[in-house]
């Protein structure tokens, strides 16, 4: 396996998203998706059967913080590595709305992906996608809506991706525990912990035993 | 380095030398343990019937000691003497704000939640020293423990109350109390408690404090039944007596108003359903021995109340769905929301309305913890509660 391919598998999964442009839109949620194939009021990604070449995964958590506060924290992409485990850093790339995501890859390597924000609704939605010509084609979006009964905000992260290098690639990603749906679920829960408690729970007894420390030493 | 009781396999625990804990997150503190107890639920780990326990895990979730190190956001001070609740709780999530601390969303590490979500639908709070399903946190049968969210859990105790009086605030006293509370006792009620282990006995004591007219305690060990009697209960020895028939006769054919299962997943006894459950548990398919759970549902009166503090961890069949539904029973369960009860129960200990020391049969040095496990399991009549003392306790 050459270096680039190695990096791509981890990278796709690390971002939790890799997609050919329009696939995402079709799946986002019922409200976005009036196609006859979707039979009920649930988000499209909970359907038992997918309908295309793309896998769509999504996850919602309720965070007991105001919508605007969560939106603002997420919108500053430099905050993302604080809870997205496979991101080394996100830095602005010059043009407004453009960022370079540095993704952790196996064997201490990293992969860079430049993204642009393609849609933004203040306090409600951020959608991003890799720029034309990137090594990795990725897309994702996060939605914020008020939770009922004063419970804070429902945060929904939606990812559409083409399994990297087919089933084999996804298996490889899974071995690195970076399968996008698992990663999305874990990242969102870390986001919740960070916002609600100011820290991310670890059962390590010593600093060198935390996941972050072990990743660095891997 | 420190000494700590670690899990090595089924019925194999040892005191090993392991690295000290460190402060990791801002709200952490480190305590130097003075006293720590072996809990009945530790025996479920010892027996290998709780999934997700690994070699080298430090056990123990009933402990207290002195604060020796604090993180930047801990509200404790070095030198304070604290009792630590067994569930780890953030204090600010939806559940903690409703005082449902053992349901905390934020204390079980993210990567440990997958298995419980699969098994239970949801992940519960972290718990000290109690399998990786509840976080894989190092436990309290050790010289030092890292305490996450130290601004929420530990309660500072006054110096004039010695360890033995307050140690059980960590688990079994609030657990017995919540068990009685979950039975929603009304004046003139008759309450039956299955199991006279520490939680069962504290449930007996709590039910009486809460105003139950009669409490009937059920066990097989004469010494434990005697302790229940001293607290004011009538007793039934299930080895000698038909429990269901006895309860019906003792209540004039009505049945008990409230039934408390303080036994859980490793019920003893030779009833046919239990023998079958034992066989399944031996095979290791996550099957609980639910004999007592079935019996409480059958025994409780129509429209009665069932409370389950006894620990179950997997699945059970032959659950009496018919009796449960047709009789209109209410059932309340759960790991104890310890933090909700500590302050009030500390006050009751201080004013003398609750005593916890009657339970302790043995004090051992931490070094002898394996002996404590062996006897607490195999000599249940005499070994009613084991408290382990560290060297720090001697120095104090």
């Amino acid at each position: 396996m050459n270096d680039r391919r190695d990096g791509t598998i981890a990278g796709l999964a690390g971002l939790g998203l890799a997609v050919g442009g329009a696939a995402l839109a079709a799946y986002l949620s019922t409200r976005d998706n009036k196609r006859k194939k979707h039979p009920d009021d649930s988000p499209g990604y909970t359907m038992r059967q997918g309908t295309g070449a793309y896998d769509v995964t999504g996850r919602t958590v309720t965070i007991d913080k105001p919508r605007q506060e969560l939106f603002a924290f997420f919108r500053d992409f430099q905050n993302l590595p604080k809870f997205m485990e496979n991101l080394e850093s996100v830095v602005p790339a010059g043009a407004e709305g453009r960022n370079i995501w540095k993704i952790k890859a196996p064997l201490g390597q990293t992969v860079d992906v430049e993204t642009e924000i393609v849609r933004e609704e203040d306090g409600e939605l951020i959608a991003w996608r890799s720029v034309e010509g990137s090594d990795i084609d990725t897309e994702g979006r996060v939605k914020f809506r008020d939770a009922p009964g004063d419970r804070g905000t429902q945060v929904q992260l939606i990812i559409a991706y083409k399994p990297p290098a087919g089933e084999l690639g996804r298996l490889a990603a899974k071995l690195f525990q970076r399968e996008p749906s698992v990663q999305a679920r874990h990242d969102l829960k870390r986001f919740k912990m960070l916002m609600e408690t100011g820290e991310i729970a670890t059962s390590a007894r010593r600093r060198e035993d935390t996941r972050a420390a072990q990743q660095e030493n891997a | 380095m420190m000494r700590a009781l670690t899990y090595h396999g089924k019925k194999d625990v040892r005191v090993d030398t392991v690295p000290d804990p460190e402060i990791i997150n801002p709200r952490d503190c480190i305590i130097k343990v003075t006293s720590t107890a072996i809990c009945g639920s530790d025996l479920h780990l010892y027996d290998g019937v709780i999934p997700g326990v690994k070699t080298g895990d430090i056990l123990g979730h009933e402990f207290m000691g002195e604060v020796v190190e604090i993180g930047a956001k801990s509200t404790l001070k070095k030198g304070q003497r604290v009792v630590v609740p067994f569930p780890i709780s953030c204090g600010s999530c939806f559940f903690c704000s409703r005082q449902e601390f053992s349901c905390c969303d934020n204390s079980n590490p993210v990567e440990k939640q997958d298995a419980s979500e699969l098994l239970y639908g949801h992940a519960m709070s972290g718990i000290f020293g109690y399998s990786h399903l509840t976080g894989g946190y190092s436990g309290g049968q050790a010289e030092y423990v890292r305490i996450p969210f130290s601004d929420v859990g530990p309660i500072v105790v006054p110096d004039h109350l010695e360890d033995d009086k307050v140690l059980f605030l960590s688990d079994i006293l609030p657990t017995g109390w919540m068990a009685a509370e979950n039975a929603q006792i009304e004046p003139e009620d008759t309450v039956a408690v299955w199991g006279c282990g520490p939680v069962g006995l504290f449930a007996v004591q709590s039910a009486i404090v809460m105003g139950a007219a009669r409490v009937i305690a059920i066990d097989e060990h004469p010494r434990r039944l005697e302790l229940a009697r001293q607290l004011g209960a009538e007793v039934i020895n299930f080895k000698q007596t038909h429990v269901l028939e006895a309860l019906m006769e003792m209540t004039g054919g009505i049945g008990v108003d409230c039934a408390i299962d303080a036994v859980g997943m490793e019920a003893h006894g030779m009833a046919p359903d239990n023998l079958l459950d034992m066989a399944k548990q031996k095979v290791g398919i996550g099957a609980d021995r639910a004999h007592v759970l079935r019996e409480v549902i059958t025994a409780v009166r129509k429209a009665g109340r069932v409370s389950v503090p006894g620990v179950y961890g997997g699945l059970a069949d032959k659950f009496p769905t018919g009796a449960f539904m047709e009789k209109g029973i209410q059932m309340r369960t759960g790991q104890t929301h310890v933090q909700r009860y500590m302050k009030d129960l500390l006050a009751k200990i201080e004013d003398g309305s609750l005593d916890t020391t009657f339970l302790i049969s043995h004090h051992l040095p931490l070094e002898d913890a394996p002996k404590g496990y062996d006897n607490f399991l195999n000599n249940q009549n005499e070994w009613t509660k084991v408290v382990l003392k560290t060297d720090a306790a001697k120095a104090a």
Side-chain angles (χ1 to χ4, degrees):
Chain A
M1 197 184 275
N2 65 38
D3 284 347
R4 179 174 154 178
R5 192 167 177 204
D6 217 358
T8 304
I9 290 168
L12 292 171
L15 262 180
L17 26 108
V19 70
L24 184 58
Y27 279 90
L28 288 178
S29 74
T30 321
R31 282 179 178 72
D32 296 332
N33 179 9
K34 300 295 183 196
R35 298 192 315 174
K36 66 177 191 303
K37 274 178 182 168
H38 193 77
D40 57 30
D41 298 327
S42 64
Y45 53 78
T46 60
M47 281 176 75
R48 289 181 190 277
Q49 274 188 316
T51 53
Y54 295 91
D55 279 358
V56 176
T57 188
R59 189 77 175 188
T60 307
V61 295
T62 299
I63 303 180
D64 196 2
K65 288 286 171 189
R67 187 158 49 86
Q68 202 62 45
E69 180 184 337
L70 297 178
F71 179 90
F73 189 89
F74 203 107
R75 176 63 182 80
D76 181 357
F77 278 13
Q78 293 178 67
N79 281 327
L80 300 185
K82 292 177 184 165
F83 60 90
M84 290 188 169
E85 200 172 52
N86 290 323
L87 278 182
E88 178 125 343
S89 64
V90 181
V91 293
E96 173 61 24
R98 288 208 172 194
N99 289 282
I100 293 171
W101 305 48
K102 196 178 277 292
I103 300 156
K104 294 173 189 168
L107 308 169
Q109 298 187 329
T110 58
V111 179
D112 286 355
V113 183
E114 185 170 344
T115 64
E116 59 182 339
I117 290 177
V118 291
R119 199 172 142 201
E120 182 177 336
E121 290 162 25
D122 187 42
E124 290 179 10
L125 180 147
I126 310 165
W128 61 91
R129 149 168 99 204
S130 57
V131 299
E132 198 117 344
S134 290
D135 280 356
I136 301 173
D137 199 2
T138 78
E139 187 172 346
R141 71 171 63 181
V142 60
K143 283 177 152 187
F144 304 84
R145 56 177 181 261
D146 292 331
D150 248 1
R151 294 189 187 192
T153 306
Q154 293 178 350
V155 182
Q156 184 183 37
L157 180 63
I158 304 166
I159 292 155
Y161 65 102
K162 200 168 196 172
E167 287 302 314
L168 194 64
R170 188 154 49 159
L171 186 67
K174 213 169 196 163
L175 288 176
F176 289 106
Q177 289 197 329
R178 287 165 186 182
E179 214 266 339
S181 63
V182 175
Q183 198 64 49
R185 184 169 80 230
H186 288 185
D187 285 347
L188 268 185
K189 285 185 179 176
R190 278 188 210 96
F191 182 39
K192 174 180 165 71
M193 285 178 174
L194 187 63
M195 300 313 289
E196 288 188 346
T197 75
E199 54 189 59
I200 292 169
T202 171
S203 56
R205 194 159 77 244
R206 297 179 65 80
R207 286 184 286 273
E208 74 243 27
D209 297 331
T210 60
R211 281 170 70 84
Q214 294 201 325
Q215 264 195 349
E216 267 166 39
N217 299 332
Chain B
M1 303 295 276
M2 66 168 182
R3 301 288 282 168
L5 187 280
T6 60
Y7 182 84
H8 284 262
K10 204 169 168 176
K11 299 215 167 69
D12 182 4
V13 291
R14 304 173 199 168
V15 178
D16 289 335
T17 300
V18 300
D20 285 348
E22 293 176 323
I23 298 277
I24 297 175
N25 278 332
R27 293 167 66 182
D28 291 354
C29 81
I30 305 285
I31 73 157
K32 180 156 83 174
V33 174
T34 51
S35 298
T36 174
I38 303 174
C39 181
S41 63
D42 289 332
L43 295 182
H44 299 315
L45 304 177
Y46 189 60
D47 279 338
V49 298
I50 298 270
V53 189
K54 297 180 183 167
T55 296
D57 285 353
I58 300 174
L59 307 187
H61 56 267
E62 298 180 3
F63 58 101
M64 61 180 296
E66 181 196 332
V67 178
V68 290
E69 234 182 298
I70 49 172
K73 293 206 173 144
S74 175
T75 49
L76 294 171
K77 295 184 185 67
K78 283 187 199 177
Q80 280 180 324
R81 197 164 150 257
V82 295
V83 179
V84 181
F86 78 83
I88 302 168
S89 310
C90 77
S92 48
C93 68
F94 172 76
F95 297 100
C96 286
S97 62
R98 294 159 56 98
Q99 300 216 312
E100 290 158 344
F101 294 100
S102 71
C103 301
C104 175
D105 265 342
N106 293 321
S107 60
N108 197 342
V110 166
E111 62 280 3
K112 309 276 184 176
Q113 293 186 16
D114 293 348
S116 338
E117 284 194 356
L118 196 64
L119 192 59
Y120 301 152
H122 299 87
M124 299 305 293
S125 78
I127 294 179
F128 290 102
Y130 211 77
S131 98
H132 288 258
L133 285 182
T134 49
Y137 284 92
S138 295
Q141 287 158 11
E143 291 184 291
Y144 294 91
V145 187
R146 170 182 164 245
I147 315 293
F149 303 124
S150 65
D151 53 326
V152 175
I155 186 169
V156 178
V157 289
D159 285 341
H160 69 270
L161 294 173
E162 66 264 35
D163 281 17
D164 285 358
K165 284 198 167 155
V166 292
L167 172 61
F168 301 146
L169 285 169
S170 57
D171 177 353
I172 51 176
L173 183 64
T175 297
W177 187 267
M178 187 169 109
E181 199 176 81
N182 277 347
Q184 304 166 75
I185 296 164
E186 292 167 10
E188 304 309 314
D189 271 356
T190 298
V191 180
V193 178
W194 276 252
C196 294
V199 168
L201 289 169
F202 282 145
V204 167
Q205 190 182 32
S206 302
I208 290 168
V209 171
M210 287 177 195
R214 291 171 79 189
V215 177
I216 302 169
I218 303 157
D219 204 290
E220 60 176 316
H221 299 295
R223 170 79 191 126
R224 292 185 174 207
L225 289 171
E226 186 49 39
L227 288 173
R229 205 174 245 149
Q230 283 167 16
L231 292 168
E234 298 159 68
V235 302
I236 295 174
N237 187 324
F238 72 77
K239 275 279 179 68
Q240 293 154 352
T241 301
H242 291 294
V243 174
L244 290 174
E245 193 184 339
L247 287 174
M248 284 298 279
E249 290 308 306
M250 291 165 84
T251 55
I254 292 173
V256 293
D257 303 294
C258 312
I260 299 177
D261 170 3
V263 175
M265 64 196 291
E266 292 188 89
H268 294 186
M270 293 293 142
D273 66 320
N274 205 39
L275 292 178
L276 199 60
D277 284 350
M278 278 181 180
K280 279 185 279 193
Q281 207 166 47
K282 279 252 185 322
V283 183
I285 53 174
D288 290 342
R289 268 145 59 189
H291 173 68
V292 170
L293 192 59
R294 297 184 192 106
E295 194 163 275
V296 293
I297 290 167
T298 314
V300 75
R301 72 157 162 81
K302 292 180 280 185
R305 287 149 264 140
V306 170
S307 161
V308 186
V311 173
Y312 292 89
L315 307 160
D317 55 15
K318 297 182 295 326
F319 182 84
T321 44
F324 182 57
M325 186 275 160
E326 298 290 346
K327 285 167 66 176
I329 293 165
Q330 296 180 46
M331 188 189 296
R332 292 191 176 184
T333 67
Q335 293 285 1
T336 309
H337 309 304
V338 176
Q339 291 88 334
R340 186 200 288 178
Y341 301 102
M342 287 179 111
K343 200 170 153 230
D344 286 352
L345 292 177
L346 177 61
K348 285 189 164 56
I349 291 168
E350 253 191 307
D351 72 20
S353 52
L354 286 177
D355 167 50
T356 66
T357 55
F358 75 91
L359 189 64
I360 303 169
S361 59
H362 292 79
H363 290 100
L364 296 177
L366 176 63
E367 291 297 320
D368 290 344
K371 184 177 144 195
Y373 273 79
D374 182 28
N375 282 287
F376 193 36
L377 179 66
N378 294 311
N379 296 313
Q380 298 199 352
N381 189 44
E382 296 79 22
W383 290 64
T384 52
K385 187 71 183 179
V386 184
V387 174
L388 306 168
K389 300 284 182 184
T390 64
D391 287 345
K394 274 185 224 154

